Amino acid sequence: MWLKPEEILLKNAFKLWVTEKDNEYFVLQRRRGYGEGAGGLTGLLVGTLDTVLDSTSKVAPFRILHHTSDSQVYWSIACGVTKEEIVQHWDWLLQNIMRTLSVFDSSEDITSFVQGKIRGLIAEEGKTSHKLEDDPEKFREAYLRFENWFALPPEEKLVTYYACSYWKGKVPCQGWLYLSTNFLCFYSYLLGAEVKLVISWDEIWRLEKTSNVILTESIHVMAHGEDHYFSMLLHLNETFVIMEQLADYSIKRLFDKEAFEKERALSDPLQITKRGLEAHAKSEQFRTFFRLPKEENLLEVHESFLWVPFSHFNTLGKICLSENYLCFASQDGSQCHIIIPMREVVNVEKPDTSSRALTVYVRGKRALRFTEVRDYQRLATSIRSRCGISASPQHSASAEVIRGECQSLINHFEDNPDDVTLMVGQKDSSKAVSTEALMTVFHPQDVENLDPKMLKEKMKEQSWNIHFSEYGRGTSMFFTRKTRDLIVRGVPEALRGELWMLFSGAVNDMATHPGYYTELVEQSLGTSTLATDEIERDLHRSLPEHPAFQSDTGISALRRVLTAYAYRNPKIGYCQAMNILTSVLLLYAKEEEAFWLLVAVCERMLPDYFNRRIIGALVDQAVFEDLIRENLPQLVENMTDLSLFSSVSLSWFLTLFISVLPIESAVNVVDCFFYDGIKAILQLGLAVLDYNMEALISCHDDAEAVTILNKFFDSVTNKDSPLPPTVQQAPVNNNDKSTRLNVDISELIRESYEKYGSIRSEDVESSRKRNRLFVIQTLEDTTKQNVIRVVSQEVKFTPAQLDELYNLFKRQHFLSCYWTMKSPALLHHDPSLAYLEQYQLGFQQFSVLFSLLEPWAFCTNKSTLSLWVFRLIDENQDGLVNFKEFCCALDNLYCGSFTNKLKFLFKLHLPPDFDLPEDGVIKRSPERGRGKVDLQAYLKQWQNEILRKEETIKDLPRINQGQFIQFSKTLYNIFHGDPEEESLYRAVAHVTSLLLRMEEVGRRLQEPSSPAASSKPTPPDGEDQAPLTSESSDTPSPQEVGPEVPGEDWSFSFEQVLASLLNEPEIVSFFDKHVDIQSKMTQAQVAQLKLAGNSK
């Protein structure tokens, strides 16, 4: 490749390079130790030097230098891996440059012209590759090494690379770590010892930073049961973050089938860059902290001071700007932050140049003054432009237009009074959207009630009203430590819905999607899906003791919210525990608000919780275990197995303690959750275990520990709850002894914040990422064992062989997704399918894997054979093959009897029941949560599979002339390359001739009066073999496979074919010959990746 011209000195390089060609202006050189005379001590030393010093010559042993006769300076302008490559560059220089150089008068002009020409060539190449990298020239050199050392498919995108040491045993190997989209690679070459490591991100179980006596700080990677350590990294934290991001990207793309359609930096695996990953990570952190929608991306960050009116001083922090939000977070420990939606901004004052300040005015007569902003002019321009773009129609309309619309609504309702009742949800409770929180309807507050609990409730409301007057109310409220203190004390019943909406960010979702929920309700009601059936089953199990859900009003509202969400997000659909959570949301929020709160919880605050595998909850269980080890050492010392707390805490995380605490206490936990996220739940879990420490340590078994915790939760009360006894769940009449044991929820929450409030949200997120890999790989391993257990009952392969086959099958599935987002496996993924169907292959992927594993090593015409096999084993005709179908086919070919193998080949040539589309996928899988699903069809298919009897040879249909010719050609193709090929060919020709004669004789006996039938000549043995042999080398297209041949009425039964072939010992011995599948699988592991790249 062409290199950016760099000055070099040849004074000390004569011993390392040998000149192959030279002329007046250019020199072609070869590195010592390469090509002719390679090897020996010189080769070892040079190779080691090249690797350690990161010399491009390690992989580019040829180079071209430019020089002039009157200068001692040489310029490197090209390098090459092979002599052919460098000679092409040399020839190009001779043909295109040499003639021109004679025109120039001075050496400086010649050198300047050559350098300009080479830079132009590099720029032309860079238009299509490496243009997004920070240093394209160095990156090109690194990519050349990466490509040459690891021989990965050319589509694989190198993201970044680092110098480091890899610990192989107790000896460190100095080399280079390469991080690409799908692989982690390492290369080292020291004194002839080459170390090469390639691990795909989807195979990693553990990825963490560690330190010990020998390694002060290193990165630990566990894959395939082996531990790998990388140390001596100059930027270890940066390297670890990039590795973490790439691993997470692969997991989401390959296991969760996420397409990243709305994230441009990650939407194409061929264009992943280090810069794009860093930007994505920052945007994700930004969205998580400020609880913003997934569509928001961090665009600008400015350091500044913000005048805080309630404290009367300027606080230092950062302004974060996205497409639709202006956010500020302090950095001085005051824990102050504010979120300003652009739709609320009414004006930006002209910047003050003296103090580099600007003032932003928002609705409600409020102003925010930012000072000491370095790029204040640009920030002001950005805010103005985005306010114009992001302002929603209702905010951009003039006052006159709004007033006119209101007047038209008033006139409409005066003329149609019945519509008023429909608007408030009283005309038809099953279809209309309720506009009141259920608690307001079923437990309205009595203003005149002055009992102590109601008085305390009024005091809470007054405290919050004072807070609102100082810190603001609504979307532009300041969030401070005082806000958290008020949350810990308890939120008033009347403000709970409003504050949940504000803290979760759901208020912004609802404001930017007016009418969205109503449309979803209209579209989803009446649909029949798997999700709606599950919803109907669980409706009456949702807080059944509460009056709101003993009436049609509450049940209908719950049905509408859950059904609308399942329709909105079919990937999740409906999951158990969503009904319990939604019931509580409906008590304190209006129906549409409850829907958006559910969206915030499922899609932002508790990611991956509500799906088939509840991965998010399992990950947080692992995080909880880590926190127990750090914060409760006494419990860990006495209870070595912490898995009990993982299993017990699952319901805590899934339902936010709603399923274990009385409802009047659980809502206080939900208050803290909406403000602090999962951190609040983890803190409370630690406080619960701490409170019961002594009892848990002294218990004898798990059942006793569970009983202790259940009794504790039954004793938790909310002494300040104003709810009447009919609504409360905690026991009301307690004796003196039990009263002393009661625990107030406010005290428990306060204690959790005092003892464990130091837990940082950033540490929780880091622990989540660290544990997520292990949790997912553990689930994958469990799935594999379940699949192998089912399939082993159907085949003769050993469990170890099935394990290797499963790994190959799964890897082939992943390879189809490595370099594209549009593979059939991704486009038609159905998360509702059973574990046996989770990994399936379309025809293209199946063809590659089958060609590696089929038992006939020299078989020609493999593509057509793969098509026939794929068509045969795809029993449900959905254009996809699962692992069980694949193994049954291989079992037939490897372990079946002669009769079974022949029957399998015979069935390949029967007419197909469907035509295969171009992408190899027939889209027949129902989409989960949306659309009609024919449950009767599922049940009928299941019944047919159960009642299906063993197929006998008499059940097989006859094959006609065209199909029989194809069958004969298949046998010729299978025998091709075998040592006994000639005798096998003669045997097939003999059988073919015999069957034709038998059929001809049979037809003559049946139709003696038909001259046309008896006039067909019968070819002799010798004449029959030649045409069939020549035809066997041709590859028929799929359209030629198995068609009915018009005008032919003779056919053969399988029994006739079997009886004829049994008389040929060569054929019988060929099919009875044992073929070792183990060696095939070993070869496939090596060739699989290379073939996947070639098939692209």
Short mmCIF file of all heavy atoms in Angstrom, two decimals, residues 428-434 515-527 532 556-568 591-592 595-596:
data_model
loop_
_atom_site.label_atom_id
_atom_site.label_comp_id
_atom_site.label_asym_id
_atom_site.label_seq_id
_atom_site.Cartn_x
_atom_site.Cartn_y
_atom_site.Cartn_z
N ASP A 428 -68.65 4.46 28.42
CA ASP A 428 -68.36 3.04 28.16
C ASP A 428 -67.00 2.74 28.79
O ASP A 428 -65.96 3.04 28.23
CB ASP A 428 -68.31 2.78 26.64
CG ASP A 428 -68.16 1.28 26.35
OD1 ASP A 428 -67.84 0.54 27.29
OD2 ASP A 428 -68.35 0.91 25.18
N SER A 429 -67.02 2.16 29.98
CA SER A 429 -65.78 1.97 30.74
C SER A 429 -64.84 0.99 30.09
O SER A 429 -63.68 0.93 30.45
CB SER A 429 -66.11 1.51 32.16
OG SER A 429 -66.78 0.26 32.13
N SER A 430 -65.30 0.20 29.16
CA SER A 430 -64.41 -0.78 28.54
C SER A 430 -63.59 -0.19 27.42
O SER A 430 -62.56 -0.71 27.06
CB SER A 430 -65.22 -1.97 28.01
OG SER A 430 -66.07 -1.54 26.97
N LYS A 431 -64.03 0.92 26.83
CA LYS A 431 -63.33 1.50 25.68
C LYS A 431 -62.78 2.90 25.94
O LYS A 431 -61.76 3.28 25.43
CB LYS A 431 -64.26 1.54 24.46
CG LYS A 431 -64.63 0.16 23.93
CD LYS A 431 -65.50 0.27 22.70
CE LYS A 431 -65.88 -1.12 22.17
NZ LYS A 431 -66.75 -1.04 20.99
N ALA A 432 -63.49 3.71 26.76
CA ALA A 432 -63.07 5.09 26.96
C ALA A 432 -61.87 5.13 27.90
O ALA A 432 -61.74 4.31 28.80
CB ALA A 432 -64.22 5.90 27.54
N VAL A 433 -61.01 6.10 27.70
CA VAL A 433 -59.82 6.27 28.53
C VAL A 433 -60.20 7.04 29.78
O VAL A 433 -60.75 8.14 29.70
CB VAL A 433 -58.72 7.01 27.75
CG1 VAL A 433 -57.54 7.30 28.65
CG2 VAL A 433 -58.30 6.18 26.55
N SER A 434 -59.88 6.48 30.94
CA SER A 434 -60.20 7.13 32.21
C SER A 434 -59.29 8.33 32.43
O SER A 434 -58.10 8.26 32.18
CB SER A 434 -60.03 6.13 33.36
OG SER A 434 -60.23 6.78 34.59
N GLY A 515 -52.11 12.27 22.11
CA GLY A 515 -53.06 11.40 21.40
C GLY A 515 -52.54 10.01 21.09
O GLY A 515 -53.27 9.16 20.56
N TYR A 516 -51.26 9.75 21.40
CA TYR A 516 -50.65 8.46 21.05
C TYR A 516 -51.33 7.30 21.77
O TYR A 516 -51.65 6.27 21.17
CB TYR A 516 -49.16 8.50 21.39
CG TYR A 516 -48.42 7.21 21.16
CD1 TYR A 516 -48.02 6.82 19.89
CD2 TYR A 516 -48.09 6.39 22.22
CE1 TYR A 516 -47.32 5.64 19.68
CE2 TYR A 516 -47.39 5.20 22.04
CZ TYR A 516 -47.02 4.83 20.77
OH TYR A 516 -46.34 3.66 20.58
N TYR A 517 -51.56 7.48 23.08
CA TYR A 517 -52.15 6.38 23.86
C TYR A 517 -53.57 6.07 23.39
O TYR A 517 -53.95 4.90 23.26
CB TYR A 517 -52.15 6.74 25.35
CG TYR A 517 -52.87 5.72 26.20
CD1 TYR A 517 -52.38 4.42 26.34
CD2 TYR A 517 -54.07 6.04 26.84
CE1 TYR A 517 -53.04 3.48 27.11
CE2 TYR A 517 -54.73 5.10 27.61
CZ TYR A 517 -54.22 3.83 27.74
OH TYR A 517 -54.89 2.89 28.48
N THR A 518 -54.34 7.11 23.13
CA THR A 518 -55.73 6.89 22.67
C THR A 518 -55.74 6.10 21.36
O THR A 518 -56.56 5.19 21.18
CB THR A 518 -56.44 8.24 22.47
OG1 THR A 518 -56.31 9.02 23.66
CG2 THR A 518 -57.91 8.04 22.16
N GLU A 519 -54.81 6.44 20.45
CA GLU A 519 -54.72 5.69 19.18
C GLU A 519 -54.37 4.23 19.43
O GLU A 519 -54.93 3.32 18.80
CB GLU A 519 -53.68 6.33 18.28
CG GLU A 519 -54.07 7.70 17.75
CD GLU A 519 -52.95 8.33 16.92
OE1 GLU A 519 -51.96 7.60 16.63
OE2 GLU A 519 -53.05 9.51 16.58
N LEU A 520 -53.43 3.99 20.35
CA LEU A 520 -53.03 2.61 20.66
C LEU A 520 -54.20 1.81 21.21
O LEU A 520 -54.39 0.64 20.87
CB LEU A 520 -51.88 2.60 21.67
CG LEU A 520 -50.45 2.75 21.16
CD1 LEU A 520 -49.48 2.59 22.31
CD2 LEU A 520 -50.14 1.72 20.08
N VAL A 521 -54.96 2.44 22.09
CA VAL A 521 -56.12 1.76 22.69
C VAL A 521 -57.10 1.35 21.59
O VAL A 521 -57.59 0.21 21.56
CB VAL A 521 -56.80 2.65 23.74
CG1 VAL A 521 -58.14 2.05 24.17
CG2 VAL A 521 -55.89 2.83 24.95
N GLU A 522 -57.38 2.27 20.67
CA GLU A 522 -58.32 1.97 19.59
C GLU A 522 -57.81 0.85 18.69
O GLU A 522 -58.57 -0.02 18.25
CB GLU A 522 -58.57 3.23 18.76
CG GLU A 522 -59.33 4.32 19.51
CD GLU A 522 -59.42 5.61 18.70
OE1 GLU A 522 -58.84 5.64 17.59
OE2 GLU A 522 -60.06 6.57 19.18
N GLN A 523 -56.49 0.84 18.43
CA GLN A 523 -55.92 -0.17 17.54
C GLN A 523 -55.79 -1.54 18.21
O GLN A 523 -55.91 -2.56 17.55
CB GLN A 523 -54.54 0.28 17.06
CG GLN A 523 -54.57 1.52 16.16
CD GLN A 523 -53.19 2.10 15.94
OE1 GLN A 523 -52.19 1.51 16.34
NE2 GLN A 523 -53.12 3.27 15.32
N SER A 524 -55.55 -1.54 19.51
CA SER A 524 -55.24 -2.81 20.18
C SER A 524 -56.45 -3.53 20.74
O SER A 524 -56.45 -4.76 20.83
CB SER A 524 -54.25 -2.56 21.32
OG SER A 524 -54.80 -1.69 22.29
N LEU A 525 -57.48 -2.78 21.12
CA LEU A 525 -58.65 -3.44 21.70
C LEU A 525 -59.33 -4.34 20.67
O LEU A 525 -59.54 -3.94 19.53
CB LEU A 525 -59.64 -2.41 22.24
CG LEU A 525 -59.29 -1.79 23.60
CD1 LEU A 525 -60.35 -0.82 24.03
CD2 LEU A 525 -59.12 -2.88 24.66
N GLY A 526 -59.63 -5.54 21.09
CA GLY A 526 -60.27 -6.49 20.19
C GLY A 526 -59.31 -7.43 19.51
O GLY A 526 -59.72 -8.41 18.89
N THR A 527 -58.01 -7.16 19.60
CA THR A 527 -57.03 -8.06 18.99
C THR A 527 -56.88 -9.32 19.85
O THR A 527 -57.06 -9.28 21.06
CB THR A 527 -55.66 -7.39 18.84
OG1 THR A 527 -55.22 -6.95 20.12
CG2 THR A 527 -55.73 -6.20 17.90
N THR A 532 -52.46 -10.92 24.82
CA THR A 532 -53.78 -10.56 25.35
C THR A 532 -54.40 -11.72 26.12
O THR A 532 -55.11 -11.49 27.11
CB THR A 532 -54.72 -10.14 24.21
OG1 THR A 532 -54.79 -11.19 23.23
CG2 THR A 532 -54.24 -8.87 23.53
N SER A 556 -61.05 -2.67 33.61
CA SER A 556 -61.02 -2.20 32.22
C SER A 556 -59.83 -1.29 31.96
O SER A 556 -59.18 -1.38 30.92
CB SER A 556 -62.32 -1.46 31.88
OG SER A 556 -63.42 -2.33 31.96
N ALA A 557 -59.54 -0.40 32.92
CA ALA A 557 -58.39 0.48 32.76
C ALA A 557 -57.09 -0.33 32.71
O ALA A 557 -56.21 -0.06 31.88
CB ALA A 557 -58.34 1.49 33.91
N LEU A 558 -57.00 -1.34 33.57
CA LEU A 558 -55.80 -2.19 33.59
C LEU A 558 -55.66 -2.95 32.27
O LEU A 558 -54.55 -3.06 31.71
CB LEU A 558 -55.90 -3.18 34.76
CG LEU A 558 -54.72 -4.14 34.96
CD1 LEU A 558 -53.44 -3.37 35.21
CD2 LEU A 558 -55.01 -5.09 36.12
N ARG A 559 -56.78 -3.45 31.75
CA ARG A 559 -56.74 -4.17 30.48
C ARG A 559 -56.26 -3.26 29.35
O ARG A 559 -55.43 -3.64 28.53
CB ARG A 559 -58.13 -4.71 30.15
CG ARG A 559 -58.20 -5.42 28.78
CD ARG A 559 -59.63 -5.78 28.40
NE ARG A 559 -60.16 -6.82 29.25
CZ ARG A 559 -61.17 -6.64 30.13
NH1 ARG A 559 -61.73 -5.42 30.24
NH2 ARG A 559 -61.61 -7.62 30.88
N ARG A 560 -56.79 -2.03 29.32
CA ARG A 560 -56.42 -1.11 28.24
C ARG A 560 -54.93 -0.77 28.28
O ARG A 560 -54.26 -0.76 27.24
CB ARG A 560 -57.27 0.16 28.32
CG ARG A 560 -58.71 0.00 27.89
CD ARG A 560 -59.40 1.34 27.73
NE ARG A 560 -59.52 2.06 29.00
CZ ARG A 560 -60.56 1.96 29.83
NH1 ARG A 560 -61.58 1.17 29.52
NH2 ARG A 560 -60.59 2.64 30.95
N VAL A 561 -54.42 -0.49 29.46
CA VAL A 561 -53.01 -0.09 29.57
C VAL A 561 -52.10 -1.25 29.16
O VAL A 561 -51.15 -1.07 28.37
CB VAL A 561 -52.68 0.37 31.00
CG1 VAL A 561 -51.18 0.60 31.16
CG2 VAL A 561 -53.43 1.66 31.33
N LEU A 562 -52.35 -2.44 29.68
CA LEU A 562 -51.48 -3.59 29.39
C LEU A 562 -51.58 -3.99 27.91
O LEU A 562 -50.57 -4.30 27.28
CB LEU A 562 -51.85 -4.77 30.28
CG LEU A 562 -51.53 -4.61 31.77
CD1 LEU A 562 -52.07 -5.79 32.57
CD2 LEU A 562 -50.03 -4.47 31.99
N THR A 563 -52.79 -3.97 27.36
CA THR A 563 -52.97 -4.35 25.96
C THR A 563 -52.31 -3.33 25.04
O THR A 563 -51.67 -3.68 24.04
CB THR A 563 -54.47 -4.48 25.62
OG1 THR A 563 -55.08 -5.38 26.53
CG2 THR A 563 -54.66 -4.99 24.21
N ALA A 564 -52.46 -2.05 25.37
CA ALA A 564 -51.84 -1.00 24.55
C ALA A 564 -50.32 -1.13 24.58
O ALA A 564 -49.66 -0.97 23.55
CB ALA A 564 -52.27 0.38 25.05
N TYR A 565 -49.76 -1.44 25.75
CA TYR A 565 -48.30 -1.56 25.81
C TYR A 565 -47.82 -2.79 25.04
O TYR A 565 -46.79 -2.74 24.34
CB TYR A 565 -47.79 -1.64 27.26
CG TYR A 565 -46.28 -1.65 27.29
CD1 TYR A 565 -45.57 -0.48 27.12
CD2 TYR A 565 -45.57 -2.84 27.40
CE1 TYR A 565 -44.19 -0.47 27.08
CE2 TYR A 565 -44.19 -2.85 27.37
CZ TYR A 565 -43.51 -1.66 27.21
OH TYR A 565 -42.14 -1.66 27.15
N ALA A 566 -48.55 -3.90 25.15
CA ALA A 566 -48.17 -5.10 24.39
C ALA A 566 -48.21 -4.83 22.90
O ALA A 566 -47.38 -5.35 22.13
CB ALA A 566 -49.10 -6.26 24.75
N TYR A 567 -49.16 -4.00 22.47
CA TYR A 567 -49.26 -3.64 21.06
C TYR A 567 -48.12 -2.72 20.65
O TYR A 567 -47.57 -2.84 19.56
CB TYR A 567 -50.61 -2.96 20.81
CG TYR A 567 -50.93 -2.76 19.34
CD1 TYR A 567 -51.51 -3.79 18.60
CD2 TYR A 567 -50.66 -1.56 18.71
CE1 TYR A 567 -51.83 -3.61 17.26
CE2 TYR A 567 -50.96 -1.37 17.38
CZ TYR A 567 -51.55 -2.40 16.65
OH TYR A 567 -51.83 -2.22 15.32
N ARG A 568 -47.74 -1.81 21.55
CA ARG A 568 -46.65 -0.86 21.27
C ARG A 568 -45.30 -1.58 21.18
O ARG A 568 -44.49 -1.29 20.31
CB ARG A 568 -46.59 0.20 22.37
CG ARG A 568 -45.26 0.98 22.41
CD ARG A 568 -45.16 1.81 23.69
NE ARG A 568 -43.80 2.27 23.94
CZ ARG A 568 -43.27 3.38 23.45
NH1 ARG A 568 -43.99 4.15 22.67
NH2 ARG A 568 -42.03 3.73 23.74
N GLU A 591 -55.02 7.27 33.62
CA GLU A 591 -54.77 6.09 32.79
C GLU A 591 -53.64 6.32 31.77
O GLU A 591 -52.74 5.49 31.64
CB GLU A 591 -56.05 5.68 32.07
CG GLU A 591 -55.93 4.37 31.31
CD GLU A 591 -57.24 3.96 30.69
OE1 GLU A 591 -58.30 4.12 31.33
OE2 GLU A 591 -57.21 3.47 29.54
N GLU A 592 -53.68 7.44 31.06
CA GLU A 592 -52.63 7.72 30.08
C GLU A 592 -51.28 7.90 30.77
O GLU A 592 -50.25 7.47 30.27
CB GLU A 592 -52.98 8.97 29.26
CG GLU A 592 -51.97 9.24 28.15
CD GLU A 592 -52.36 10.42 27.28
OE1 GLU A 592 -53.37 11.08 27.57
OE2 GLU A 592 -51.63 10.69 26.30
N PHE A 595 -49.84 4.57 31.62
CA PHE A 595 -49.23 3.95 30.44
C PHE A 595 -47.81 4.45 30.23
O PHE A 595 -46.88 3.66 30.03
CB PHE A 595 -50.09 4.24 29.21
CG PHE A 595 -49.43 3.87 27.92
CD1 PHE A 595 -49.40 2.55 27.48
CD2 PHE A 595 -48.79 4.84 27.13
CE1 PHE A 595 -48.78 2.20 26.28
CE2 PHE A 595 -48.17 4.50 25.94
CZ PHE A 595 -48.16 3.18 25.52
N TRP A 596 -47.61 5.76 30.30
CA TRP A 596 -46.27 6.31 30.06
C TRP A 596 -45.31 5.98 31.21
O TRP A 596 -44.10 5.85 30.99
CB TRP A 596 -46.35 7.82 29.83
CG TRP A 596 -46.92 8.15 28.48
CD1 TRP A 596 -48.11 8.76 28.21
CD2 TRP A 596 -46.32 7.88 27.22
NE1 TRP A 596 -48.31 8.86 26.86
CE2 TRP A 596 -47.22 8.34 26.22
CE3 TRP A 596 -45.13 7.29 26.83
CZ2 TRP A 596 -46.94 8.23 24.86
CZ3 TRP A 596 -44.85 7.17 25.47
CH2 TRP A 596 -45.74 7.64 24.51
#
